[in-house]
Amino acid sequence: MMRYAMRGTVWVIVYLLFILAPLFALLLGTWPAPRDFWTEVSVALGYAGLAMMGLQFGLTARFRYVTDPWGEDVIYHFHRQISLIAVGLVIAHPLILFVVRPELLALLNSITAPWRARFAALSTYSLIALVVTALWRAKWNIRYETWHLSHIVLAVLAVAAGLLHMVGWSFYLTDPWKQVLWIGLTIFWIGLLVYVRIVKPLFMLRRPYRVSDVREERGDTWTLVMRPDGHPGFRFSPGQFGWLTVWGSPFTITGHPFSFSSSAAVADGRVEMTIRNLGDFTSAIHKVPVGRRVYLDGPYGAFTIDRNPADMHVLIAGGVGITPMVSIIRTLADRGDPRPVILLYGSKDWESITFREELEALKARLDLTVVHVLVHPPADWTGEQGFINAEVFKRYLPPPYAAHEYFICGPDVMMDAIETALSELDVPLSKYHSERYSFV
Ligand SMILES: Cc1cc2nc3c(=O)[nH]c(=O)nc-3n(C[C@H](O)[C@H](O)[C@H](O)COP(=O)(O)OP(=O)(O)OC[C@H]3O[C@@H](n4cnc5c(N)ncnc54)[C@H](O)[C@@H]3O)c2cc1C
């Protein structure tokens, strides 16, 4: 844990340096003739906004070494929140200028404006479109793949046009070394893009997997069994996930994230993903032919028991959120772990409980208690019904509740309710770990 905390702190400092250092560097060396205070503030905001936008490429580049301390979901969340600040800074830049120097409003006419102002307009409009489509993608029903492609195009446009605007104005960039600094930063941002879109896919292309089985599970769900083809594969920790590409090459931008559902203790590199039919990609999983070459990018995520030593594990799953939990349980069984595990598992009905029989069988191999909570129970059901809540916790968990580690995965509304219930039971935030399938 300490190791992750240290690494996290280092990366936060590196992030701040990347954003602030270029700003401070502008103040070194030769200064142009001073301008009024608000003009200078507006320019500083523009520079900071641009530096933040460029670094956004790094946040989603899936550098495992960088994202490990927090997990991908936290990084994506940060990427989203920080983009709002970056947009705020970039928009504040012209707005302040228009207020203090209203004659600059003429630059909004892109037909008569010089190129450097046209680039500014292009960058700002792209950025606004980028954020608006990201915020309202689900509401406007934009197809994920269409949105993802447009997101990349708009991001490149926004940053490239922003740079051209800055270089075109070159007010603070008279010293050649300052130009070199910004050119260096630009090369770094382009490098990030090249890494994500070319280097990483090339690496995946050289390490393909073959589908060795496609197994039907309960609950409109299928398990893909995949074996490394010509390489040893990778090791993962139970609870982690990977990005799967089935129908195209790794160069396509449509990898889908899925938790590993198999035991992390198998030595032959075999991995399984258990996938519920929820949309266009997932509905075609059962058609994947045995022998098909697929690509996996992983492992990712901080949602794993291996980082959080516990006296007992409390696993709380809703629907397909069972996949990381079954990996955890299978792994603990394979490792011969003696610690108790309690699985609180919410499902629609008795028939659709994915892994129902296997969970029952696993009870013979480890100290496992499974509590099914059904929304639509059968007539003769004497178990828990409705949704998992604080009362269910109190019935099955030994106090003190704050002594256990909790792992939660399921639909957002269920996870929100459980997180609230745990905080009502005085379980500190550091003791519960959530994997949200909606983070992308
Ligand atoms: C960390 C993580 C682990 C997951 N593990 C599992 C699992 O073990 N089993 C399981 O069944 N599901 C899992 N999911 C959910 C799964 O990724 C989505 O259900 C699936 O990608 C939907 O694709 P679709 O085209 O079938 O659905 P669509 O109807 O096209 O999309 C539904 C929603 O899924 C998301 N989505 C779609 N395509 C992608 C993509 N390429 N990348 C990221 N998100 C996308 C979008 O939010 C979209 O709005 C996981 C998600 C995450 C983030």
Side-chain angles (χ1 to χ4, degrees):
M1 283 305 279
M2 203 51 207
R3 189 165 52 102
Y4 288 117
M6 284 282 290
R7 247 162 68 186
T9 312
V10 169
W11 286 121
V12 170
I13 293 170
V14 170
Y15 183 84
L16 288 174
L17 273 178
F18 261 99
I19 287 175
L20 296 177
L23 255 182
F24 287 119
L26 295 177
L27 300 176
L28 302 173
T30 338
W31 277 27
R35 295 174 295 185
D36 65 282
F37 173 77
W38 284 109
T39 301
E40 300 297 0
V41 168
S42 113
V43 171
L45 297 182
Y47 273 111
L50 186 60
M52 281 163 110
M53 277 158 50
L55 262 191
Q56 290 290 75
F57 292 118
L59 290 178
T60 50
R62 299 189 209 155
F63 288 115
R64 211 166 302 135
Y65 199 71
V66 180
T67 60
D68 257 8
W70 300 278
E72 296 286 312
D73 52 344
V74 173
I75 298 290
Y76 270 75
H77 193 67
F78 181 73
H79 170 85
R80 233 171 274 149
Q81 301 302 317
I82 207 76
S83 73
L84 299 180
I85 296 178
V87 172
L89 296 181
V90 169
I91 293 179
H93 165 57
L95 285 185
I96 294 175
L97 284 179
F98 293 150
V99 172
V100 293
R101 295 163 64 187
E103 72 276 12
L104 292 180
L105 277 168
L107 295 176
L108 283 178
N109 181 350
S110 288
I111 297 171
T112 53
W115 272 105
R116 57 196 184 195
R118 289 180 190 159
F119 283 129
L122 178 64
S123 175
T124 313
Y125 299 149
S126 309
L127 202 55
I128 293 171
L130 190 78
V131 170
V132 168
T133 48
L135 288 178
W136 281 283
R137 167 177 74 83
K139 205 167 176 186
W140 290 346
N141 249 331
I142 305 175
R143 213 170 146 256
Y144 183 85
E145 286 77 6
T146 314
W147 167 77
H148 196 183
L149 185 63
S150 70
H151 197 70
I152 295 169
V153 172
L154 285 170
V156 172
L157 256 185
V159 172
L163 277 164
L164 289 169
H165 162 69
M166 185 190 73
V167 173
W169 222 277
S170 72
F171 188 75
Y172 271 108
L173 300 184
T174 40
D175 285 344
W177 68 267
K178 289 184 186 171
Q179 292 170 13
V180 169
L181 179 85
W182 278 93
I183 291 169
L185 261 184
T186 312
I187 291 172
F188 173 70
W189 294 335
I190 295 170
L192 287 176
L193 204 65
V194 170
Y195 170 78
V196 177
R197 298 288 152 216
I198 298 172
V199 177
K200 201 157 196 187
L202 271 177
F203 184 76
M204 284 162 66
L205 200 63
R206 290 181 46 218
R207 297 168 73 87
Y209 281 72
R210 292 251 180 224
V211 173
S212 65
D213 195 9
V214 183
R215 233 178 18 236
E216 185 168 8
E217 310 281 0
R218 287 183 178 278
D220 204 7
T221 299
W222 298 77
T223 292
L224 276 190
V225 184
M226 295 160 282
R227 291 176 189 278
D229 185 7
H231 59 96
F234 52 71
R235 303 300 299 247
F236 63 93
S237 291
Q240 286 191 302
F241 72 96
W243 297 80
L244 170 70
T245 304
V246 172
W247 302 114
S249 82
F251 293 97
T252 57
I253 55 163
T254 52
H256 287 250
F258 295 103
S259 303
F260 302 114
S261 55
S262 47
S263 166
V266 293
D268 62 358
R270 172 174 56 89
V271 284
E272 296 182 6
M273 286 173 162
T274 300
I275 299 173
R276 180 153 296 177
N277 173 4
L278 288 173
D280 49 2
F281 175 80
T282 48
S283 62
I285 283 299
H286 68 281
K287 293 189 205 143
V288 176
V290 167
R292 183 168 179 94
R293 202 172 248 232
V294 297
Y295 300 95
L296 279 179
D297 179 19
Y300 292 105
F303 184 79
T304 166
I305 51 165
D306 286 350
R307 284 200 195 172
N308 307 285
D311 62 338
M312 68 179 283
H313 294 105
V314 182
L315 312 179
I316 306 157
V320 78
I322 188 65
T323 54
M325 310 306 180
V326 91
S327 172
I328 289 172
I329 295 170
R330 284 168 166 167
T331 308
L332 289 172
D334 286 348
R335 288 178 183 167
D337 196 304
R339 289 172 296 173
V341 181
I342 295 191
L343 171 67
L344 305 176
Y345 183 7
S347 305
K348 233 176 19 217
D349 51 46
W350 183 244
E351 286 313 310
S352 63
I353 301 177
T354 313
F355 299 121
R356 193 179 84 194
E357 288 79 3
E358 186 179 347
L359 287 169
E360 209 45 43
L362 277 162
K363 284 183 187 168
R365 296 183 55 209
L366 78 167
D367 182 356
L368 170 67
T369 307
V370 180
V371 180
H372 289 293
V373 184
L374 300 181
V375 181
H376 304 295
D380 56 349
W381 179 251
T382 54
E384 297 292 339
Q385 44 183 295
F387 298 99
I388 305 166
N389 55 28
E391 293 313 308
V392 177
F393 288 143
K394 286 183 194 154
R395 275 196 286 279
Y396 295 95
L397 304 183
Y401 304 117
H404 323 309
E405 294 282 333
Y406 298 80
F407 294 83
I408 317 160
C409 186
D412 274 347
V413 0
M414 176 201 120
M415 297 185 65
D416 293 343
I418 287 170
E419 287 173 3
T420 310
L422 287 175
S423 75
E424 278 164 18
L425 294 174
D426 291 330
V427 176
L429 205 60
S430 60
K431 288 281 185 178
Y432 52 90
H433 315 277
S434 303
E435 184 74 299
R436 287 186 183 260
Y437 283 179
S438 57
F439 83 71
V440 261

